[in-house]
Amino acid sequence: MDQNNSLPPYAQGLASPQGAMTPGIPIFSPMMPYGTGLTPQPIQNTNSLSILEEQQRQQQQQQQQQQQQQQQQQQQQQQQQQAVAAAAVQQSTSQQTTQGTSGQAPQLFHSQTLTTAPLPGTTPLYPSPVTPMTPITPATPASESSGIVPQLQNIVSTVNLGCKLDLKTIALRARNAEYNPKRFAAVIMRIREPRTTALIFSSGKMVCTGAKSEEQSRLAARKYARVVQKLGFPAKFLDFKIQNMVGSCDVKFPIRLEGLVLTHQQFSSYEPELFPGLIYRMIKPRIVLLIFVSGKVVLTGAKVRAEIYEAFENIYPILKGFRKTT
Amino acid sequence: MPGRGRCPDCGSTELVEDSHYSQSQLVCSDCGCVVTEGVLTTTFSDEGNLREVTYSRSTGENEQISRSQQRGLRRVRDLCRVLQLPPTFEDTAVAYYQQAYRHSGIRAARLQKKEVLVGCCVLITCRQHNWPLTMGAICTLLYADLDVFSSIYMQIVKLLGLDVPSLCLAELVKTYCSSFKLFQASPSVPAKYVEDKEKMLSRTLQLVELANETWLVTGRHPLPVITAATFLAWQSLQPADRLSCSLARFCKLANVDLPYPASSRLQELLAVLLRMAEQLAWLRVLRLDKQSVVKHIGDLLQHRHSLVRLAFRDGTAEVETRGKEPPAWGQGQREGEVGNNSLGLPQGKRPASPALLLPPCMLKPPKRICPAPPVSTVTGDENISDSEIEQYLRTPQEVRDFQRAQAARQAATSVPNPP
């Protein structure tokens, strides 16, 4: 939609052209190094791989923190080159204050600080921070890491079984299938472990929902494919892809939604007549957050786990800004 | 026109190409004589060369406003007039409708959607001018469902990239309160129920502000809170006569619909007022309940800012401060009370320790405890045992039974009245 081109002149002031979002987007990135509680992505960082495997079951939170920061640093190296000195100072102070919270981590932290901070060209770079719409300034104290990990509640994935299917046969010969062609043109199949539901279409494509982790979703999809195989179809397992991930968490303090929609109106939509929560469309990462007055936050629209964690770390300082406005 | 010949009648050279319907003609502009005529009918071969272009592929829809758009624009203007909006609103709403119509998704939408779009444009215009129009009101006027309205509203706000301010609560209070038919005596409204509009408005506003401050408004539909506040304001202005009147009866004689959540908002507001009353020494001794506190709403509202500060402590920092001592003033008051206890007041007559100022949803105990999810050690690539898959497949016997049952059911349904 090229709505920006078609805006009449008198409506310009009223509409908010979406192109203007871009300079303000990276404002959220400065919060990255202050964040903790980020679990590792499918591992890209070999430095801390061994430590990751050791600590994964014990101290997940502190582990995630280092991983995410390293990745953020490496990702942002190719991006903008502004405010390096300020950024480096903040980063080192943040890492120094947060190292007290982790156990085995501090050693790794220190080495990371030493290697990356002095190099202006390669340090994680924070783009020009302040835009009028957000109250965040780079001077937010570094100790405000949230320590809260969003829990994944639902994963939606798709896979191509690679052959045409006869839904009537599947519905007849499988115990856990329901098929009502008048209502919906797919077989709805359920398995108990992992507890998931699949929609199987006659084209051979399948949607798997309800899993609580990426691995569980993949395992469940493979089980459905195996069931279809046993029913006599030459099913394969092609193009498995996670389409959506939903997470939720609780910041444990009430939030003034009316205030939040005033300061972040370009991203927020709060209509109490329609829905009790505020819908926050974050641009980087591209995640939709539902924020409720009780402090519960639902994050959705992610393709990878790190996006959910990053989005939460971005929103947490904003929410804390609305904490004491009674 | 030079070089085109002369009119045989008057000899003028002013010959004009002018078609008479589908027949092209050369006409003298002085005397009107038809000099030459084109062919009136087309031959079969000619028609073969004519190709019909569908309207949507022609440029017609860009050059002129389509009938459905005209109808929509008329509806927008009519709606603005019905709502008695200022004239400038009409132009803005029309502009939004036209802007929306430029998008192909809207042009090709169903008529029902276009109807609702009319309401959305008017609503957005009102919101931008702080005119308190609720979505419920628009839906009633359009005979539309609120969920249909909500989906189209969200879509159009996103599509046009509009910045729509929130509903202005103060304006809504003024408009809504003015619609209560309580300001003049009538057969249905006895004299003791008639109230002065200004007094009621100001008190309602104060009560709504109080509700807003104590987390009763955030996340909730605004109208039921205002209904409850209006009721309390009306009751408190003449409590002796009006305490016997219930909320439902009040709405009925004021000729206003009672929104369903209004009664629970009323209870919440009364609970807040009771807590505030606990902080006033002369009210504490009266042991007020939800009925009797209404008589003192005037006093409570007069000191509402300090009372709220005294009665509630900041719930946003509750985890760390839970179990901490209340601040010095609270203790001072308590000591003062203890001194007074020697005068014969019953024990335990101290100001209640400050309650947490939290939204009601956070004060209620959780319905069920969510256990921490077990750490999953699934890798996604495990072996899947055959037996596990077999449990999901029917045995041949089951398949036969199922088919027999299906056939029997088919037979039963196809013969509705078996002999």
Side-chain angles (χ1 to χ4, degrees), chain B residues 82-159:
Chain B
V82 163
L83 292 168
Q84 296 180 336
L85 302 176
T88 48
F89 287 29
E90 218 173 286
D91 300 327
T92 321
V94 161
Y96 282 139
Y97 193 86
Q98 282 173 327
Q99 199 180 330
Y101 224 84
R102 286 196 202 111
H103 295 269
S104 56
I106 302 290
R107 265 202 305 271
R110 290 179 195 280
L111 280 178
Q112 183 206 28
K113 193 164 168 177
K114 286 175 180 157
E115 277 282 322
V116 175
L117 182 63
V118 165
C120 290
C121 293
V122 174
L123 179 72
I124 293 172
T125 311
C126 289
R127 283 278 192 96
Q128 289 179 334
H129 292 86
N130 273 340
W131 190 276
L133 185 62
T134 56
M135 293 189 185
I138 290 266
C139 287
T140 324
L141 283 171
L142 295 177
Y143 304 119
D145 260 337
L146 189 62
D147 15 339
V148 175
F149 185 88
S150 107
S151 63
I152 295 168
Y153 173 77
M154 303 297 280
Q155 185 192 351
I156 203 69
V157 169
K158 200 171 169 192
L159 196 62

Side-chain angles (χ1 to χ4, degrees), chain A residues 146 148 150 249 251 297 299 308-317:
Chain A
S146 66
I148 307 172
C249 58
V251 301
V297 180
L299 308 99
I308 295 214
Y309 296 137
E310 187 185 338
F312 181 68
E313 292 302 319
N314 285 342
I315 202 78
Y316 189 69

Side-chain angles (χ1 to χ4, degrees), chain A residues 16 172 222-223 258 270 323, chain B residues 161 218-219 316 380 388 392 394:
Chain A
S16 34
L172 176 65
R222 283 176 57 225
K223 288 191 183 177
E258 310 93 351
Y270 170 54
R323 207 168 158 173
Chain B
T218 310
T316 56
E388 190 185 347
Y392 294 119
R394 288 194 170 125

Side-chain angles (χ1 to χ4, degrees), chain B residues 37-51:
Chain B
E37 280 183 336
V39 174
L40 185 59
T41 56
T42 53
T43 62
F44 184 72
S45 53
D46 281 341
E47 280 177 15
N49 297 332
L50 297 171
R51 227 168 270 115

Side-chain angles (χ1 to χ4, degrees), chain A residues 165-225:
Chain A
L165 304 173
D166 179 13
L167 299 183
K168 274 203 170 5
T169 317
I170 296 178
L172 176 65
R173 296 182 46 209
R175 281 181 184 152
N176 54 343
E178 57 182 88
Y179 179 48
N180 192 348
K182 288 190 196 132
R183 200 155 53 115
F184 191 55
V187 164
I188 302 167
M189 196 182 283
R190 297 183 166 85
I191 58 173
R192 281 179 279 274
E193 183 54 47
R195 218 161 74 83
T196 49
T197 305
L199 303 172
I200 305 175
F201 294 84
S202 54
S203 60
K205 301 250 170 83
M206 183 173 82
V207 179
C208 173
T209 63
K212 299 275 190 215
S213 77
E214 304 91 318
E215 300 83 18
Q216 284 187 9
S217 191
R218 190 188 161 82
L219 179 63
R222 283 176 57 225
K223 288 191 183 177
Y224 287 112

Side-chain angles (χ1 to χ4, degrees), chain B residues 55-329:
Chain B
Y55 183 67
S56 58
R57 292 176 70 203
S58 72
T59 53
E61 60 180 3
N62 293 339
E63 288 161 12
Q64 64 200 57
I65 301 179
S66 70
R67 224 176 299 170
S68 120
Q69 189 180 359
Q70 278 176 355
R71 192 166 154 271
L73 295 174
R74 246 195 325 266
R75 288 280 290 149
V76 169
R77 288 188 207 276
D78 289 345
L79 196 57
C80 290
R81 276 173 215 154
V82 163
L83 292 168
Q84 296 180 336
L85 302 176
T88 48
F89 287 29
E90 218 173 286
D91 300 327
T92 321
V94 161
Y96 282 139
Y97 193 86
Q98 282 173 327
Q99 199 180 330
Y101 224 84
R102 286 196 202 111
H103 295 269
S104 56
I106 302 290
R107 265 202 305 271
R110 290 179 195 280
L111 280 178
Q112 183 206 28
K113 193 164 168 177
K114 286 175 180 157
E115 277 282 322
V116 175
L117 182 63
V118 165
C120 290
C121 293
V122 174
L123 179 72
I124 293 172
T125 311
C126 289
R127 283 278 192 96
Q128 289 179 334
H129 292 86
N130 273 340
W131 190 276
L133 185 62
T134 56
M135 293 189 185
I138 290 266
C139 287
T140 324
L141 283 171
L142 295 177
Y143 304 119
D145 260 337
L146 189 62
D147 15 339
V148 175
F149 185 88
S150 107
S151 63
I152 295 168
Y153 173 77
M154 303 297 280
Q155 185 192 351
I156 203 69
V157 169
K158 200 171 169 192
L159 196 62
L160 299 180
L162 294 175
D163 172 21
V164 186
S166 310
L167 194 56
C168 182
L169 213 56
E171 295 291 327
L172 183 62
V173 169
K174 286 184 206 150
T175 318
Y176 187 55
C177 274
S178 311
S179 73
F180 281 71
K181 303 256 181 300
L182 292 166
F183 311 119
Q184 278 173 358
S186 73
S188 53
V189 179
K192 57 181 182 170
Y193 286 172
V194 175
E195 188 50 70
D196 173 49
K197 190 165 165 183
E198 286 311 314
K199 273 198 257 172
M200 208 161 108
L201 263 181
S202 71
R203 194 163 275 203
T204 310
L205 263 172
Q206 290 176 345
L207 277 168
V208 170
E209 272 174 27
L210 175 66
N212 200 1
E213 213 181 306
T214 52
W215 294 102
L216 298 182
V217 171
T218 310
R220 273 100 168 262
H221 198 296
L223 214 63
V225 182
I226 303 177
T227 313
T230 312
F231 175 61
L232 277 181
W234 174 79
Q235 268 193 333
S236 67
L237 286 167
Q238 223 175 304
D241 299 316
R242 297 175 185 169
L243 266 178
S244 54
C245 183
S246 71
L247 178 61
R249 187 154 163 254
F250 169 74
C251 289
K252 208 163 165 200
L253 47 88
N255 203 14
V256 168
D257 284 331
L258 172 64
Y260 173 71
S263 18
S264 67
R265 298 295 159 265
L266 180 64
Q267 298 305 314
E268 287 169 0
L269 201 47
L270 284 169
V272 166
L273 288 165
L274 276 171
R275 281 231 173 263
M276 287 164 63
E278 291 279 303
Q279 302 296 323
L280 283 177
W282 69 90
L283 291 182
R284 204 179 309 127
V285 300
L286 292 176
R287 286 184 160 254
L288 296 170
D289 65 2
K290 287 195 171 165
Q291 287 275 340
S292 42
V293 73
V294 176
K295 299 186 208 136
H296 306 281
I297 283 183
D299 290 337
L300 292 172
L301 286 177
Q302 210 176 350
H303 309 286
R304 63 184 183 279
H305 295 298
S306 43
L307 283 177
V308 167
R309 246 182 301 124
L310 289 174
F312 299 99
R313 59 192 162 96
D314 190 12
T316 56
E318 82 288 7
V319 178
E320 302 92 60
T321 59
R322 212 167 259 170
K324 268 195 196 167
E325 306 267 10
W329 43 256

